[in-house]
Amino acid sequence: MQNIESICVVGAGNMGHQISLCAAIAGFKVKCCDINEEILHRAGDFAENYLSERVAKGKLSEEAAQRTRANLSFTLSLEEAARNADLVIEAVLENLAIKREVFARLEKICPAHTIFATNSSYIVSSRLADATKRPGQVCNMHFFNPVLVMKLVEVVKGPHTTEETATAVMEVAKKMGKIPVLLQKEIYGFLVNRILTAIRSEALYLYDLGVASFEDIDRAVVHGLGHPMGPFQLLDLTGIDLSYHVHMERYRESGDPSHKPSPVIVEKYVKGEWGRKTGKGFYDYSANG
Ligand code: 3HC
């Protein structure tokens, strides 16, 4: 089986920065790139604060923190990040055209053995594999937010994905301390997001109908179902912008109006109230909030 030592993470946003850090802690050499310098700086600051806090909490040794720092670097250049990678994990915006462009660029940059995995929340890798000349080495590797905490990784085999690729990616996930599950068939949204979407759609429907406040719907799910967070708290964590893009992408493809984002998601997206990342979503995360 292919020995994976170096990983390139494309995108340092909500998911990419924690995927990079998690892989670096696990001992992989990680280069994380983004086209946005500010996002890269934020990812670097997060990693530094996180490692110092883990050491202070006694959850990581100073040596392990130093090793992680040495394993992790950030760059604006995709060429620099990807040219020696054994595995690329793409974590860019949830937009098919952008992802295809990234995969086509990676095809030109990476060595022949490199595996390309997408962290897409919904898009199956067969929509991306033909942007490369190595479809056998393309699959989904889907992490959950916050990546440093959530154990699950969904590895999805497309009809094009070889057994070796799926096995190698499962092994990387295990080495990262994750619990991977293997989907033998592609399906939009995989396992978890299909279940989550059903809960979320119902919560948004109840809210849009005025049946209860979002706070009470969250309380109902936390205290009635035992979930760690309610659907609106979770939307703020994963990003209202992500939810907007996922629904718009689906609507653009299907033309089915039922796939459009709910009115409150559109309103919050337009206002720039995208959740924790902007300081306000359904809840207020400012100092006074
Ligand atoms: N980043 C990194 N670590 C975090 C974190 C974050 N954003 N938030 C919390 N943590 C860590 C803390 O450091 C702490 O670590 P420690 O116990 O080792 O010291 C631990 O998590 C617990 O933190 P807290 O006590 O502050 O908070 P909670 O116990 O309330 O846990 C939570 C926070 C882990 C976010 C929990 O509320 C939870 O599990 N929520 C549900 C998350 C979820 O459902 N995620 C899946 C979303 S769907 C998805 O990602 C799909 C994608 O496609 C969009």
Side-chain angles (χ1 to χ4, degrees):
M1 193 183 60
Q2 190 176 327
N3 190 24
I4 291 177
E5 291 175 355
S6 58
I7 297 180
C8 161
V9 178
V10 189
N14 235 12
M15 300 297 282
H17 78 285
Q18 290 209 7
I19 295 172
S20 303
L21 182 51
C22 197
I25 293 171
F28 293 101
K29 295 273 174 213
V30 182
K31 290 189 177 176
C32 174
C33 76
D34 201 290
I35 52 172
N36 183 320
E37 201 164 1
E38 195 195 320
I39 288 178
L40 271 186
H41 276 303
R42 248 188 275 152
D45 290 347
F46 176 87
E48 193 38 60
N49 291 336
Y50 181 83
L51 291 173
S52 312
E53 269 179 29
R54 298 306 277 173
V55 172
K57 276 187 183 176
K59 300 220 167 178
L60 195 71
S61 69
E62 185 50 47
E63 297 70 47
Q66 288 298 3
R67 254 195 326 273
T68 303
R69 288 184 187 101
N71 282 343
L72 181 60
S73 60
F74 297 92
T75 173
L76 284 165
S77 158
L78 184 64
E79 281 75 11
E80 190 192 323
R83 69 175 161 234
N84 294 317
D86 301 316
L87 167 68
V88 178
I89 304 173
E90 168 274 310
V92 304
L93 199 68
E94 195 71 1
N95 174 297
L96 182 62
I98 296 174
K99 286 184 191 290
R100 286 183 64 85
E101 193 186 318
V102 169
F103 272 57
R105 282 189 65 198
L106 288 168
E107 178 60 46
K108 295 197 180 115
I109 298 167
C110 294
H113 73 273
T114 310
I115 290 175
F116 296 170
T118 173
N119 176 56
S120 173
S121 298
Y122 291 86
I123 301 170
V124 292
S125 76
S126 56
R127 308 294 307 277
L128 305 168
D130 66 329
T132 77
K133 296 193 179 85
R134 61 185 84 197
Q137 289 155 238
V138 177
C139 71
N140 291 84
M141 184 182 196
H142 182 218
F143 292 84
F144 293 84
N145 194 338
V147 176
L148 287 155
V149 180
M150 304 304 285
K151 288 278 184 206
L152 188 71
V153 172
E154 291 172 321
V155 177
V156 187
K157 259 183 88 187
H160 50 279
T161 313
T162 64
E163 204 61 50
E164 294 71 35
T165 297
T167 308
V169 171
M170 294 282 287
E171 286 307 313
V172 170
K174 284 181 202 158
K175 196 172 162 197
M176 285 173 76
K178 301 299 180 197
I179 298 171
V181 292
L182 180 65
L183 278 73
Q184 299 283 358
K185 273 187 193 171
E186 291 192 328
I187 184 160
Y188 178 83
F190 324 125
L191 302 178
V192 172
N193 274 341
R194 291 185 76 85
I195 296 166
L196 181 60
T197 300
I199 294 172
R200 197 172 263 181
S201 301
E202 189 59 32
L204 284 162
Y205 174 71
L206 292 168
Y207 175 73
D208 284 332
L209 270 187
V211 173
S213 66
F214 65 82
E215 292 97 331
D216 274 348
I217 298 172
D218 276 349
R219 279 186 200 107
V221 171
V222 169
H223 300 293
L225 291 174
H227 291 196
M229 280 180 162
F232 295 95
Q233 292 168 315
L234 199 50
L235 269 165
D236 277 357
L237 177 73
T238 55
I240 288 164
D241 55 326
L242 174 68
S243 178
Y244 174 84
H245 286 301
V246 163
H247 282 276
M248 285 308 289
E249 191 72 19
R250 187 102 208 258
Y251 171 59
R252 265 193 292 273
E253 283 182 13
S254 68
D256 178 348
S258 74
H259 291 149
K260 278 186 184 174
S262 98
V264 69
I265 294 291
V266 176
E267 183 194 317
K268 297 228 165 264
Y269 179 77
V270 171
K271 279 193 193 158
E273 293 177 0
W274 294 355
R276 290 190 188 196
K277 66 170 88 167
T278 57
K280 188 163 170 36
F282 285 96
Y283 294 87
D284 186 352
Y285 301 90
S286 63
N288 310 327

